Amino acid sequence: MSGCLTVKSAGPGVTLQDLGRPGQFGIGLSPSGAADRHALLEGEVLLSNPPGLAAIEMAVLGGTFEFSSDTMVALTGALMQASLNGEAVAWNACVGVRAGDVLKIGAATSGVYGYLSVAGGFEAREELGGRGFHGIAKLGTRVEAGDALDFGSLTNGSGALMRLPDHTPSNAPIRVMDGPQTQLFDAETRARFAETEFIRSPRGNRQGVRLDQSGPAFSTGAQLTLVSD
């Protein structure tokens, strides 16, 4: 049975996302898609959905959502405060909802991108091979208060409530590899780069994340404009 989700309120970074639009670089279109693909796929697994369906992505802040019919939903990704009809619900798990239920998702307490997946996926028009929001290309759907989002049929026939094991934060180092411009920097600058401690900046998007550091900038000394890779 299909249904509809009514958006009562939504944070500024709430969109519909899927696995993106691969293979479109030839027309100048980046793949985009979910910022945390792993979390999106976890939601699909919890609901026994096929991969590639659209889910609601929430950046830092969620929203309030009312359901028109019975279904199952999954909450994955960045840990956010969530309640169903005022009762706390588990994250990284799926839960059954009934017609008229109201799901409230607050601010993230850990991480950035959280996902609300629904059994059968959210219905959205496919454009250039994807359904997700792509702001630069003006494709897809930004989720805002007052929207009514249709979703598909229940695919998890057993209706079983499942939960993922708790995630263990990783402190593993980030690997760095040489790029086409590496040799434009002298050995001293490259060594300083390798020894510098970086902090993730709040600034970031689907193209990349800025890393801040307190020392002097890294320069080739030749006033070259380097193209981002």
Side-chain angles (χ1 to χ4, degrees):
M1 179 176 65
S2 60
C4 178
L5 175 148
T6 300
V7 182
K8 299 295 186 180
S9 66
V14 180
T15 61
L16 279 183
Q17 292 295 343
D18 58 8
L19 294 178
R21 297 174 173 84
Q24 304 291 346
F25 273 125
I27 60 172
L29 182 66
S30 61
S32 191
D36 187 342
R37 294 165 62 91
H38 188 78
L40 177 73
L41 291 170
E42 285 180 331
E44 307 294 13
V45 169
L46 286 169
L47 296 168
S48 298
N49 282 343
L53 299 184
I56 293 177
E57 179 184 89
M58 303 164 288
V60 181
L61 184 64
T64 303
F65 312 98
E66 183 176 349
F67 294 85
S68 70
S69 61
D70 299 357
T71 188
M72 295 184 70
V73 299
L75 301 171
T76 57
L79 184 61
M80 296 177 165
Q81 299 172 334
S83 65
L84 184 65
N85 302 325
E87 298 289 331
V89 294
W91 206 259
N92 288 320
C94 63
V95 62
V97 298
R98 296 189 177 279
D101 281 357
V102 176
L103 176 65
K104 292 185 177 181
I105 303 176
T109 59
S110 176
V112 177
Y113 293 97
Y115 294 84
L116 167 59
S117 303
V118 65
F122 289 101
E123 296 179 1
R125 184 164 62 95
E126 184 173 311
E127 301 172 278
L128 295 176
R131 297 179 176 85
F133 178 73
H134 193 307
I136 295 176
K138 294 181 171 52
L139 299 172
T141 302
R142 185 187 294 278
V143 177
E144 299 176 332
D147 288 349
L149 305 178
D150 294 327
F151 54 81
S153 301
L154 186 70
T155 57
N156 186 344
S158 66
L161 301 181
M162 296 187 290
R163 183 171 183 174
L164 298 171
D166 290 336
H167 289 277
T168 301
S170 173
N171 291 320
I174 297 175
R175 296 190 302 167
V176 178
M177 62 186 293
D178 286 348
Q181 297 93 5
T182 298
Q183 298 306 315
L184 296 176
F185 297 87
D186 60 37
E188 181 180 349
T189 301
R190 297 199 302 271
R192 181 166 63 87
F193 173 83
E195 296 168 358
T196 297
E197 181 178 278
F198 293 90
I199 298 175
R200 186 198 190 281
S201 166
R203 297 179 62 185
N205 56 29
R206 280 166 230 286
Q207 290 180 296
V209 173
R210 182 185 179 116
L211 299 179
D212 289 337
Q213 52 93 24
S214 58
F218 298 96
S219 171
T220 64
Q223 296 183 345
L224 298 175
T225 298
L226 303 184
V227 177
S228 172
D229 293 305

